[in-house]
Amino acid sequence: MTNTVSLKRLVPGLIIGPASWLGPYIAAASLFLPALIQQIDAENKIQLVALFSTCGMVFAAVSNMVAGYLSDRTRSRFGKRTPWLVGGATAFMISMILASMANSIPFLLISWMLGQIALNFIVAPMVAWLDLAPEDGKGTASGAYGGLGMALGNNGFTIFAAMFLGQFRLGFIIFGIITFIGTLLAAIIVREPSNLDEVLEESAKKEKKTLKESLAIFPSWSISRDYYLALIGKLFQGVGNFSITGYLLFIMTDFLHKGTVGTQQSIQLINTIMLIFGIAMGFIAGPLADKYKVLKLPVGLSTISLGIGALSMFFLQNDVGIIIYGFAAGLGMGIWNSLDNLLNLEVIPDKNRIAFFLGVYNLGNTITQAIAPVLAAFVISQFSFSAIFIVSFIFSAIGGISILSIKSVTR
């Protein structure tokens, strides 16, 4: 039987934990790393940022699955997740300190890749903390993790990080330390129960497996249809979202023809609306999902809401369209971030590999952030800027339809 942790302990940990790894990562990846690359090799900075992003995606994908696999099989007095995420936070802090000392691209690349590996040894075990929530509180726990923790990490830390743009080497160190302290604090608050007495299903049954079964890391479609539909929904939702947010600056300047002040105000307005909705849905969406036992419908419709927001800018091309996008995308992302991990938890095909499957699912964030800009750049070059709004709508709609096609979750 799975150990449970009271929401009084779990919810604060699920807010502080993801904010502590996501915020510093976003700050380092979007501000400190490009600034340091420019200082070391300004002539090749565009290509180098792309190289770091691509390598980071590969290392993240592999390390995420490995971290989930090892975490699922860990037995300790601190539980199966805590040793790995605390170790990962320590290694991430060290890698950021090393990055701050870099004076060459190879040294910086090695430090950054070590950081990517370490980060995913926090991410994969931590998201599996959701399974520690009581059955009638899993929605609340999911809302705390995705709605509040991720919202604070995505939006809250960037304001603070901008203060270190003139001292970006110090920024690496400070934000690496924040990750370590925040993750450790989250682990202390949650106090994951010991699982030393837990027996692996494989050991208990001692079944003989065929070679084919042993190599089947991912179950077949017939067994895991709903999990794969959720994963498809995640990937299409991510591309639909990031194809707009990744080019928001150029949408304002090149598509809507706004000046510097107008561009700044519009981007601030969109981010403010999305932050408000993200925090609000973190408080509201999870508890409502628990109370009314509804999950699939809000997650599926939240994805479609992103597409509607994209169409508003395509058709209106003015401030009204921007505001509608902010509300539609803010509502959609707020609900999605609050509930999508819980939906995935419901459709996982193997409950003995929760961290592994949740980790693979959360790779959708990394992969789509790499795919979306490339796809958007191709569409813009082949057609026009307006075409990315259509692409965003189509991908978001397919993502929503995939989620709504899940059968094992009825509502």
Side-chain angles (χ1 to χ4, degrees):
M1 182 177 176
T2 303
N3 289 319
T4 60
V5 174
S6 71
L7 292 180
K8 290 182 179 179
R9 282 162 39 202
L10 193 59
V11 166
L14 288 173
I15 295 173
I16 296 170
S20 297
W21 67 255
L22 180 61
Y25 168 70
I26 294 290
S30 62
L31 298 176
F32 307 148
L33 180 65
L36 184 51
I37 288 174
Q38 179 172 270
Q39 186 184 74
I40 296 173
D41 189 351
E43 186 177 345
N44 299 304
K45 63 182 180 182
I46 301 298
Q47 296 87 343
L48 287 172
V49 168
L51 171 66
F52 274 66
S53 177
T54 303
C55 292
M57 182 183 70
V58 174
F59 275 79
V62 175
S63 59
N64 194 292
M65 288 187 285
V66 171
Y69 179 90
L70 293 175
S71 171
D72 286 332
R73 282 154 178 75
T74 296
R75 303 293 174 267
S76 82
R77 57 178 292 228
F78 302 107
K80 60 175 67 176
R81 317 299 178 191
T82 300
W84 292 105
L85 59 90
V86 171
T90 304
F92 181 76
M93 176 180 64
I94 293 170
S95 69
M96 291 300 98
I97 293 172
L98 290 173
S100 73
M101 301 164 58
N103 289 307
S104 69
I105 293 300
F107 186 85
L108 179 59
L109 182 61
I110 292 171
S111 301
W112 187 252
M113 291 309 107
L114 290 174
Q116 292 294 299
I117 295 170
L119 189 73
N120 282 280
F121 273 85
I122 307 172
V123 177
M126 186 177 287
V127 71
W129 267 351
L130 292 176
D131 196 45
L132 294 174
E135 282 301 320
D136 60 352
K138 288 190 184 297
T140 300
S142 181
Y145 181 91
L148 296 172
M150 301 287 276
L152 288 172
N154 268 314
N155 303 104
F157 276 74
T158 308
I159 301 168
F160 177 49
M163 298 168 56
F164 289 89
L165 270 178
Q167 297 176 292
F168 50 82
R169 289 183 183 269
L170 178 62
F172 275 112
I173 298 172
I174 296 296
F175 280 77
I177 293 172
I178 288 173
T179 293
F180 172 73
I181 294 175
T183 303
L184 183 62
L185 180 61
I188 292 171
I189 292 172
V190 171
R191 295 202 314 276
E192 187 181 345
S194 169
N195 69 329
L196 287 172
D197 58 347
E198 185 177 328
V199 180
L200 277 174
E201 184 183 14
E202 292 89 338
S203 300
K205 292 185 177 179
K206 293 185 178 180
E207 295 178 318
K208 287 187 176 181
K209 293 186 177 181
T210 65
L211 178 61
K212 183 178 180 180
E213 289 173 328
S214 299
L215 295 176
I217 299 175
F218 294 99
S220 65
W221 174 270
S222 61
I223 297 173
S224 309
R225 172 188 177 276
D226 287 350
Y227 174 79
Y228 292 129
L229 284 173
L231 183 58
I232 291 169
K234 173 87 165 181
L235 293 172
F236 276 80
Q237 182 269 359
V239 173
N241 176 43
F242 290 123
S243 61
I244 299 295
T245 58
Y247 281 85
L248 205 52
L249 175 65
F250 298 143
I251 287 171
M252 297 301 163
T253 56
D254 296 15
F255 180 69
L256 299 177
H257 306 294
K258 287 183 172 290
T260 303
V261 175
T263 295
Q264 181 180 351
Q265 290 175 342
S266 296
I267 292 176
Q268 287 175 336
L269 176 62
I270 289 172
N271 280 313
T272 301
I273 293 172
M274 293 187 74
L275 178 60
I276 292 171
F277 268 107
I279 294 174
M281 288 303 106
F283 282 109
I284 296 170
L288 287 179
D290 284 334
K291 182 176 181 179
Y292 295 104
K293 306 302 178 185
V294 60
L295 182 58
K296 179 176 71 174
L297 287 175
V299 174
L301 294 176
S302 73
T303 307
I304 296 172
S305 179
L306 289 174
I308 293 172
L311 286 183
S312 70
M313 282 203 284
F314 173 75
F315 284 115
L316 297 179
Q317 300 185 24
N318 56 26
D319 289 341
V320 175
I322 291 172
I323 292 172
I324 293 174
Y325 170 77
F327 276 92
L331 178 64
M333 288 305 300
I335 295 174
W336 175 272
N337 287 334
S338 296
L339 298 177
D340 78 306
N341 280 312
L342 177 59
L343 177 64
N344 188 247
L345 189 62
E346 293 293 318
V347 297
I348 281 177
D350 184 353
K351 296 300 182 181
N352 291 303
R353 294 196 287 161
I354 288 174
F356 174 80
F357 283 109
L358 281 176
V360 171
Y361 181 73
N362 277 280
L363 278 176
N365 293 322
T366 308
I367 294 171
T368 52
Q369 286 187 62
I371 294 174
V374 177
L375 176 64
F378 172 78
V379 169
I380 291 168
S381 65
Q382 293 298 312
F383 302 98
S384 65
F385 236 108
S386 59
I388 64 170
F389 300 105
I390 304 300
V391 168
S392 177
F393 173 76
I394 292 172
F395 272 73
S396 298
I398 293 173
I401 292 169
S402 296
I403 296 293
L404 295 173
S405 300
I406 291 172
K407 292 180 178 179
S408 59
V409 179
T410 57
R411 297 173 60 191

